[in-house]
Amino acid sequence: WSLAAISAAAAAASPLLPARLFDAIAAVAASRAADFNEQELSNLARAFATAGHEAPELLDAIARAARQRLSEFTPQGLATVSWAFAKSAHLAWRGAVPPASAQGGRAQGGDAPSAGPPPLRAALCAELLVEGRAAALNPAELAITLWAFATAGHTGGEPYRCLGEALIPRLFPPRGLEGQAISNAAWALATARHENPRLFSALAQAAAANIDRLGALDLSNLAWAFAWSSQVPVAEHPAFYSRLGSASLVRLSDFDGGSLSNLAWALAVASPSPDVLDAVAAAALSERLAEVHGSTALNVGQLCQVHQYQLWLEERGDVAEEALPEALREQARDSFLGMAQLAPSSRMQRLVARELRAVGGVRSVEEEVVVAQGYTVDLLVQHADFGPLAVEVDGPHHFLSEGSRRPTGATQLKRRQLRSSGLRLVSLPYWELNELQAQPRRGRDDLRACSASTSSPCGPSPGHWHGATSGQWSRLLERAVRDDQRVESADDP
């Protein structure tokens, strides 16, 4: 550990010296990992992660040794091992599938390998569930451990539930979570698609109190996390959003392309009204986006976020002073259209289209239709009574955690911006489609597979929900239209 702490200075004097020393230590330590106690194992892992020195054989040996006696580790040791393996991106932690990253650089929570998490991560998760273990971590250790699991793309309710519940009473003074740790915890929980409004509300309160201690990247990560998780509404947390806007404006020159586009996208998700950002601040943000793009060029994902930000400006009303330069608007729209065309339709979507064509009153069904704003709607249904309907077939990835019915911020933004263009939007969520299935063995898992697959068959039928009548489909469509009308009424003062 001491060598890791001084390795930067040593590397400046002799670049080969630290590397050779680390290689020699790794070779000896790997063969003796079983002899080390828990503190020595965690310190070893921490040292190599801090130094950024790759030592896969040593980390394999540490993982095997640590797995056998995690119950002996102190709370700090558990957090340290989690952080070190996540920082090293070692297979013993992340598994065979690299962690997924979200569009535009935002992490969304990747899929774990089909066989489940690797043994070390699974064992550490189980250890954290032992009564009292998660609660024994201090606030910083809780945030670090959340970050480590989310970075690996770990899915499922645990350990996020137990760590999150332990974090809630530790968020506030005198010894509460501070600064970047709040941002890291929020990012991790959002990345994991964890649903706990009480926890996110507490994080928003803590963030508002610490906003002046946060840098540009922290502000961007916080804004993205709260927007993506859709659990920190503006109406309930005006103080946070007010302070976020002010703090971001002060630090605007510190934002790079990724953090700036994340911030712009998050503000677009938060509210269609000027409450989150006034006209002066919106104009400054637009100017900074144009400046950053002119000097470093935004990537495709970031340009897609910028396009949705521009749509948000248009939602706000007169945007002459707030608007992005025309060249940037056009490039952002082109990127958005290009990304939409790359997304394949799901098997579930094609099956729904087939069924809807047989419903009374449906005159036509078009699939994958690009509308004026650049969005692609799953199905455009021409109905005798309801007129044109933009139908979204919403599989599980449109919602948060397993079994959740809370749409992600991305889903909410698309719905709102489509409605703002005058389209009548109806959502057919996967659980309502499940209810149409008469086959007992075809439950949620089958439709989840359909929503992700573009070619594999869905259940025993090659293309129909056996037992679901045209009348049932008609009633489902009518209910979805009524739901849309209620949303429009709620949004219209």
Side-chain angles (χ1 to χ4, degrees), residues 2-12 18 22 50-51:
S2 297
L3 180 60
I6 64 171
S7 62
F22 273 109
T50 300

mmCIF file with all atom_site columns, all heavy atoms in Angstrom, residues 2-12 18 22 50-51:
data_model
loop_
_atom_site.group_PDB
_atom_site.id
_atom_site.type_symbol
_atom_site.label_atom_id
_atom_site.label_alt_id
_atom_site.label_comp_id
_atom_site.label_asym_id
_atom_site.label_entity_id
_atom_site.label_seq_id
_atom_site.pdbx_PDB_ins_code
_atom_site.Cartn_x
_atom_site.Cartn_y
_atom_site.Cartn_z
_atom_site.occupancy
_atom_site.B_iso_or_equiv
_atom_site.pdbx_formal_charge
_atom_site.auth_seq_id
_atom_site.auth_comp_id
_atom_site.auth_asym_id
_atom_site.auth_atom_id
_atom_site.pdbx_PDB_model_num
ATOM 1  N N   . SER A 1 2  ? 1.925  1.246  0.758   1.00 0.00 ? 2  SER A N   1
ATOM 2  C CA  . SER A 1 2  ? 2.823  2.411  0.782   1.00 0.00 ? 2  SER A CA  1
ATOM 3  C C   . SER A 1 2  ? 3.405  2.669  -0.596  1.00 0.00 ? 2  SER A C   1
ATOM 4  O O   . SER A 1 2  ? 3.529  3.817  -1.029  1.00 0.00 ? 2  SER A O   1
ATOM 5  C CB  . SER A 1 2  ? 3.959  2.177  1.786   1.00 0.00 ? 2  SER A CB  1
ATOM 6  O OG  . SER A 1 2  ? 3.446  2.055  3.103   1.00 0.00 ? 2  SER A OG  1
ATOM 7  N N   . LEU A 1 3  ? 3.769  1.613  -1.295  1.00 0.00 ? 3  LEU A N   1
ATOM 8  C CA  . LEU A 1 3  ? 4.314  1.762  -2.644  1.00 0.00 ? 3  LEU A CA  1
ATOM 9  C C   . LEU A 1 3  ? 3.277  2.380  -3.571  1.00 0.00 ? 3  LEU A C   1
ATOM 10 O O   . LEU A 1 3  ? 3.604  3.237  -4.398  1.00 0.00 ? 3  LEU A O   1
ATOM 11 C CB  . LEU A 1 3  ? 4.763  0.407  -3.189  1.00 0.00 ? 3  LEU A CB  1
ATOM 12 C CG  . LEU A 1 3  ? 5.361  0.399  -4.607  1.00 0.00 ? 3  LEU A CG  1
ATOM 13 C CD1 . LEU A 1 3  ? 6.601  1.275  -4.672  1.00 0.00 ? 3  LEU A CD1 1
ATOM 14 C CD2 . LEU A 1 3  ? 5.680  -1.031 -5.033  1.00 0.00 ? 3  LEU A CD2 1
ATOM 15 N N   . ALA A 1 4  ? 2.014  1.962  -3.442  1.00 0.00 ? 4  ALA A N   1
ATOM 16 C CA  . ALA A 1 4  ? 0.955  2.521  -4.284  1.00 0.00 ? 4  ALA A CA  1
ATOM 17 C C   . ALA A 1 4  ? 0.799  4.012  -4.026  1.00 0.00 ? 4  ALA A C   1
ATOM 18 O O   . ALA A 1 4  ? 0.592  4.797  -4.945  1.00 0.00 ? 4  ALA A O   1
ATOM 19 C CB  . ALA A 1 4  ? -0.368 1.810  -4.025  1.00 0.00 ? 4  ALA A CB  1
ATOM 20 N N   . ALA A 1 5  ? 0.925  4.399  -2.749  1.00 0.00 ? 5  ALA A N   1
ATOM 21 C CA  . ALA A 1 5  ? 0.746  5.801  -2.382  1.00 0.00 ? 5  ALA A CA  1
ATOM 22 C C   . ALA A 1 5  ? 1.831  6.693  -2.963  1.00 0.00 ? 5  ALA A C   1
ATOM 23 O O   . ALA A 1 5  ? 1.596  7.866  -3.255  1.00 0.00 ? 5  ALA A O   1
ATOM 24 C CB  . ALA A 1 5  ? 0.706  5.937  -0.863  1.00 0.00 ? 5  ALA A CB  1
ATOM 25 N N   . ILE A 1 6  ? 3.039  6.140  -3.137  1.00 0.00 ? 6  ILE A N   1
ATOM 26 C CA  . ILE A 1 6  ? 4.141  6.958  -3.652  1.00 0.00 ? 6  ILE A CA  1
ATOM 27 C C   . ILE A 1 6  ? 4.473  6.620  -5.099  1.00 0.00 ? 6  ILE A C   1
ATOM 28 O O   . ILE A 1 6  ? 5.423  7.160  -5.659  1.00 0.00 ? 6  ILE A O   1
ATOM 29 C CB  . ILE A 1 6  ? 5.414  6.758  -2.805  1.00 0.00 ? 6  ILE A CB  1
ATOM 30 C CG1 . ILE A 1 6  ? 5.917  5.312  -2.910  1.00 0.00 ? 6  ILE A CG1 1
ATOM 31 C CG2 . ILE A 1 6  ? 5.164  7.134  -1.361  1.00 0.00 ? 6  ILE A CG2 1
ATOM 32 C CD1 . ILE A 1 6  ? 7.289  5.102  -2.288  1.00 0.00 ? 6  ILE A CD1 1
ATOM 33 N N   . SER A 1 7  ? 3.686  5.762  -5.735  1.00 0.00 ? 7  SER A N   1
ATOM 34 C CA  . SER A 1 7  ? 4.051  5.283  -7.071  1.00 0.00 ? 7  SER A CA  1
ATOM 35 C C   . SER A 1 7  ? 4.069  6.396  -8.103  1.00 0.00 ? 7  SER A C   1
ATOM 36 O O   . SER A 1 7  ? 4.864  6.364  -9.046  1.00 0.00 ? 7  SER A O   1
ATOM 37 C CB  . SER A 1 7  ? 3.094  4.175  -7.525  1.00 0.00 ? 7  SER A CB  1
ATOM 38 O OG  . SER A 1 7  ? 1.779  4.666  -7.604  1.00 0.00 ? 7  SER A OG  1
ATOM 39 N N   . ALA A 1 8  ? 3.192  7.385  -7.954  1.00 0.00 ? 8  ALA A N   1
ATOM 40 C CA  . ALA A 1 8  ? 3.168  8.468  -8.933  1.00 0.00 ? 8  ALA A CA  1
ATOM 41 C C   . ALA A 1 8  ? 4.484  9.231  -8.926  1.00 0.00 ? 8  ALA A C   1
ATOM 42 O O   . ALA A 1 8  ? 5.068  9.522  -9.973  1.00 0.00 ? 8  ALA A O   1
ATOM 43 C CB  . ALA A 1 8  ? 2.009  9.415  -8.640  1.00 0.00 ? 8  ALA A CB  1
ATOM 44 N N   . ALA A 1 9  ? 4.974  9.543  -7.720  1.00 0.00 ? 9  ALA A N   1
ATOM 45 C CA  . ALA A 1 9  ? 6.248  10.255 -7.628  1.00 0.00 ? 9  ALA A CA  1
ATOM 46 C C   . ALA A 1 9  ? 7.397  9.381  -8.108  1.00 0.00 ? 9  ALA A C   1
ATOM 47 O O   . ALA A 1 9  ? 8.310  9.842  -8.801  1.00 0.00 ? 9  ALA A O   1
ATOM 48 C CB  . ALA A 1 9  ? 6.483  10.688 -6.179  1.00 0.00 ? 9  ALA A CB  1
ATOM 49 N N   . ALA A 1 10 ? 7.348  8.098  -7.763  1.00 0.00 ? 10 ALA A N   1
ATOM 50 C CA  . ALA A 1 10 ? 8.412  7.196  -8.185  1.00 0.00 ? 10 ALA A CA  1
ATOM 51 C C   . ALA A 1 10 ? 8.422  7.020  -9.693  1.00 0.00 ? 10 ALA A C   1
ATOM 52 O O   . ALA A 1 10 ? 9.483  6.933  -10.331 1.00 0.00 ? 10 ALA A O   1
ATOM 53 C CB  . ALA A 1 10 ? 8.245  5.840  -7.500  1.00 0.00 ? 10 ALA A CB  1
ATOM 54 N N   . ALA A 1 11 ? 7.218  6.989  -10.285 1.00 0.00 ? 11 ALA A N   1
ATOM 55 C CA  . ALA A 1 11 ? 7.130  6.799  -11.738 1.00 0.00 ? 11 ALA A CA  1
ATOM 56 C C   . ALA A 1 11 ? 7.739  7.975  -12.476 1.00 0.00 ? 11 ALA A C   1
ATOM 57 O O   . ALA A 1 11 ? 8.327  7.821  -13.545 1.00 0.00 ? 11 ALA A O   1
ATOM 58 C CB  . ALA A 1 11 ? 5.667  6.619  -12.142 1.00 0.00 ? 11 ALA A CB  1
ATOM 59 N N   . ALA A 1 12 ? 7.621  9.185  -11.886 1.00 0.00 ? 12 ALA A N   1
ATOM 60 C CA  . ALA A 1 12 ? 8.203  10.353 -12.541 1.00 0.00 ? 12 ALA A CA  1
ATOM 61 C C   . ALA A 1 12 ? 9.722  10.256 -12.567 1.00 0.00 ? 12 ALA A C   1
ATOM 62 O O   . ALA A 1 12 ? 10.384 10.686 -13.515 1.00 0.00 ? 12 ALA A O   1
ATOM 63 C CB  . ALA A 1 12 ? 7.761  11.625 -11.806 1.00 0.00 ? 12 ALA A CB  1
ATOM 64 N N   . PRO A 1 18 ? 8.436  1.398  -10.426 1.00 0.00 ? 18 PRO A N   1
ATOM 65 C CA  . PRO A 1 18 ? 7.209  0.949  -9.777  1.00 0.00 ? 18 PRO A CA  1
ATOM 66 C C   . PRO A 1 18 ? 6.624  -0.294 -10.437 1.00 0.00 ? 18 PRO A C   1
ATOM 67 O O   . PRO A 1 18 ? 6.148  -1.204 -9.761  1.00 0.00 ? 18 PRO A O   1
ATOM 68 C CB  . PRO A 1 18 ? 6.274  2.156  -9.924  1.00 0.00 ? 18 PRO A CB  1
ATOM 69 C CG  . PRO A 1 18 ? 7.176  3.318  -10.120 1.00 0.00 ? 18 PRO A CG  1
ATOM 70 C CD  . PRO A 1 18 ? 8.333  2.774  -10.903 1.00 0.00 ? 18 PRO A CD  1
ATOM 71 N N   . PHE A 1 22 ? 5.906  -3.743 -8.477  1.00 0.00 ? 22 PHE A N   1
ATOM 72 C CA  . PHE A 1 22 ? 4.561  -4.281 -8.384  1.00 0.00 ? 22 PHE A CA  1
ATOM 73 C C   . PHE A 1 22 ? 4.479  -5.688 -8.969  1.00 0.00 ? 22 PHE A C   1
ATOM 74 O O   . PHE A 1 22 ? 3.794  -6.562 -8.433  1.00 0.00 ? 22 PHE A O   1
ATOM 75 C CB  . PHE A 1 22 ? 3.560  -3.355 -9.085  1.00 0.00 ? 22 PHE A CB  1
ATOM 76 C CG  . PHE A 1 22 ? 3.030  -2.259 -8.197  1.00 0.00 ? 22 PHE A CG  1
ATOM 77 C CD1 . PHE A 1 22 ? 3.401  -0.939 -8.397  1.00 0.00 ? 22 PHE A CD1 1
ATOM 78 C CD2 . PHE A 1 22 ? 2.167  -2.552 -7.155  1.00 0.00 ? 22 PHE A CD2 1
ATOM 79 C CE1 . PHE A 1 22 ? 2.913  0.071  -7.589  1.00 0.00 ? 22 PHE A CE1 1
ATOM 80 C CE2 . PHE A 1 22 ? 1.671  -1.548 -6.331  1.00 0.00 ? 22 PHE A CE2 1
ATOM 81 C CZ  . PHE A 1 22 ? 2.038  -0.231 -6.543  1.00 0.00 ? 22 PHE A CZ  1
ATOM 82 N N   . THR A 1 50 ? -5.335 1.251  -6.616  1.00 0.00 ? 50 THR A N   1
ATOM 83 C CA  . THR A 1 50 ? -4.920 2.651  -6.510  1.00 0.00 ? 50 THR A CA  1
ATOM 84 C C   . THR A 1 50 ? -3.802 2.977  -7.479  1.00 0.00 ? 50 THR A C   1
ATOM 85 O O   . THR A 1 50 ? -3.791 4.039  -8.117  1.00 0.00 ? 50 THR A O   1
ATOM 86 C CB  . THR A 1 50 ? -4.464 2.961  -5.068  1.00 0.00 ? 50 THR A CB  1
ATOM 87 O OG1 . THR A 1 50 ? -5.549 2.719  -4.174  1.00 0.00 ? 50 THR A OG1 1
ATOM 88 C CG2 . THR A 1 50 ? -4.001 4.404  -4.937  1.00 0.00 ? 50 THR A CG2 1
ATOM 89 N N   . ALA A 1 51 ? -2.867 2.059  -7.605  1.00 0.00 ? 51 ALA A N   1
ATOM 90 C CA  . ALA A 1 51 ? -1.734 2.280  -8.508  1.00 0.00 ? 51 ALA A CA  1
ATOM 91 C C   . ALA A 1 51 ? -2.113 2.079  -9.968  1.00 0.00 ? 51 ALA A C   1
ATOM 92 O O   . ALA A 1 51 ? -1.375 2.494  -10.867 1.00 0.00 ? 51 ALA A O   1
ATOM 93 C CB  . ALA A 1 51 ? -0.598 1.321  -8.143  1.00 0.00 ? 51 ALA A CB  1
#
